Amino acid sequence: MIVGPEHVEQAAEVLRRGGLVAFPTETVYGLGADASNADAVKRIFAAKGRPADHPLIVHLSNASDIDRWAVDVPPAARVLAARCWPGPLTMVLGKAPWVPPITTGGLDTIGLRVPNQALALSLLRAFGGGVAAPSANRFGRVSPTRPEDVAAELDSVELILDGGPCRIGVESTILDLTVTPAQILRPGGVSADELEEILGMAVARHPTGPARAPGMLEVHYAPSARVELVDASALALRAREWREQGERVGVIVPADVEIPAGVEVLGVASSAEAYAHALYAWLRSCDARQVTVVLAVPPSEAGIGAAVRDRLRRAAAGDSPRQDRG
Ligand code: TXA
Ligand code: MG
């Protein structure tokens, strides 16, 4: 059921008794449960169809809660908490021993974030604890950025708090601070340049070594249509080739790109921010518009453009065997 802000206290009560609540953040909608209650967290994995070794992000109402959930917190994490929270930054830190292993997918690290969204913060305050919340979509699918998307994805959720469309539209930046230099595991709302500026030191811009964020290196963010990334210069040719094969082609483009004839225009982005804000809704609209192939011209890499390019690449990786998607 989709409900308004007047149901925050009721939503906190659902969390207290181990139930699930979907709630808005500034990035995407989350599917929340009491992060300290292993049975409640199990329900998240069941509702999403998510493998049990995928760690969840724990959402806090205040940076001062960091030491309850994390150990060996480095000074850099305190600087980032002071500067970026509330905001779209998830920090991976050492996990406090009392936190149930299921919350962190069995890892000895924990992802923490204070979201910058009024309704999310009032829910977190009313509840009083940490809320484990992945994006509120079924495993492998596009993250929801509107309450109706959550309802379409997950029918078992008791309550969906309606905060309207998410302001940013792509998930938080994940920064692993348990390694030196700190490493970006997923680009998002806080750019690598901003992080380096705040920290006064370099961060690793791409994960190296073994997959440090389980769930990050696979097919993700995949709509039912095939997604292909193209350069602006190749758009017209690719569109014609797909149409000649009988496909219904949709395009997503930055505003300065010319739109070829005979395609469905899914989205035109006037900036990287606008691209991020609407990307998932555009991908979702493929089904209703019977688009079978999406040609996306990515934005440039600067700022949140890196996150948009990352999600488009993952959506495109979903083209191979459909049955792998879970
Ligand atoms: O913007 C967001 O981050 C949204 C909103 C709801 O906060 N949440 C989100 O959660 O995107 P989710 O579960 O869809 O993606 C979180 C990713 C996981 O796939 C996992 O790879 C990574 O965060 N993660 C969480 N804890 C981690 C840890 N301890 N070590 C490494 N990666 C971790
Ligand atoms: Mg997700």
Side-chain angles (χ1 to χ4, degrees), residues 64-279:
S64 60
D65 294 341
I66 201 168
D67 293 299
R68 176 164 157 71
W69 296 87
V71 291
D72 304 327
V73 178
R78 307 216 182 259
V79 172
L80 289 172
R83 288 285 299 275
C84 299
W85 285 353
L89 175 69
T90 296
M91 291 197 266
V92 172
L93 299 163
K95 164 187 166 309
W98 70 269
V99 179
I102 187 174
T103 302
T104 60
L107 298 176
D108 55 7
T109 57
I110 186 166
L112 298 177
R113 160 167 131 82
V114 178
N116 187 11
Q117 209 282 356
L119 197 47
L121 289 170
S122 39
L123 174 66
L124 288 164
R125 283 190 207 112
F127 174 60
V131 173
S135 51
N137 51 279
R138 274 175 290 129
F139 178 63
R141 300 231 334 143
V142 178
S143 299
T145 52
R146 301 167 299 195
E148 61 270 29
D149 300 338
V150 180
E153 284 285 323
L154 304 166
D155 45 25
S156 60
V157 185
E158 226 169 296
L159 275 187
I160 302 171
L161 284 176
D162 184 353
C166 299
R167 185 169 54 80
I168 294 178
V170 294
E171 301 82 353
S172 61
T173 303
I174 302 179
L175 184 70
D176 185 350
L177 286 136
T178 67
V179 292
T180 311
Q183 196 173 85
I184 294 180
L185 302 180
R186 176 177 74 183
V190 180
S191 72
D193 288 343
E194 285 172 80
L195 292 171
E196 291 185 342
E197 219 249 1
I198 293 167
L199 291 175
M201 58 176 135
V203 301
R205 291 176 180 235
H206 301 283
T208 53
R212 298 193 52 93
M216 293 296 315
L217 301 179
E218 301 150 41
V219 173
H220 251 90
Y221 314 106
S224 46
R226 169 195 272 271
V227 178
E228 196 172 278
L229 297 186
V230 290
D231 280 341
S233 59
L235 181 62
L237 177 66
R238 272 320 263 162
R240 194 167 68 237
E241 285 172 354
W242 281 119
R243 287 177 59 217
E244 281 166 8
Q245 290 179 43
E247 303 289 349
R248 189 170 164 87
V249 176
V251 298
I252 298 178
V253 293
D256 57 353
V257 173
E258 197 181 326
I259 292 164
V263 301
E264 284 280 308
V265 181
L266 298 174
V268 176
S270 56
S271 63
E273 286 74 22
Y275 209 132
H277 177 73
L279 175 64

Side-chain angles (χ1 to χ4, degrees), residues 299-326:
S300 66
E301 183 83 28
I304 201 161
V308 173
R309 293 167 71 101
D310 171 77
R311 303 313 187 272
L312 284 171
R313 272 197 300 273
R314 289 174 199 281
D319 291 340
S320 17
R322 300 279 140 147
Q323 56 272 29
D324 283 359
R325 267 188 213 162

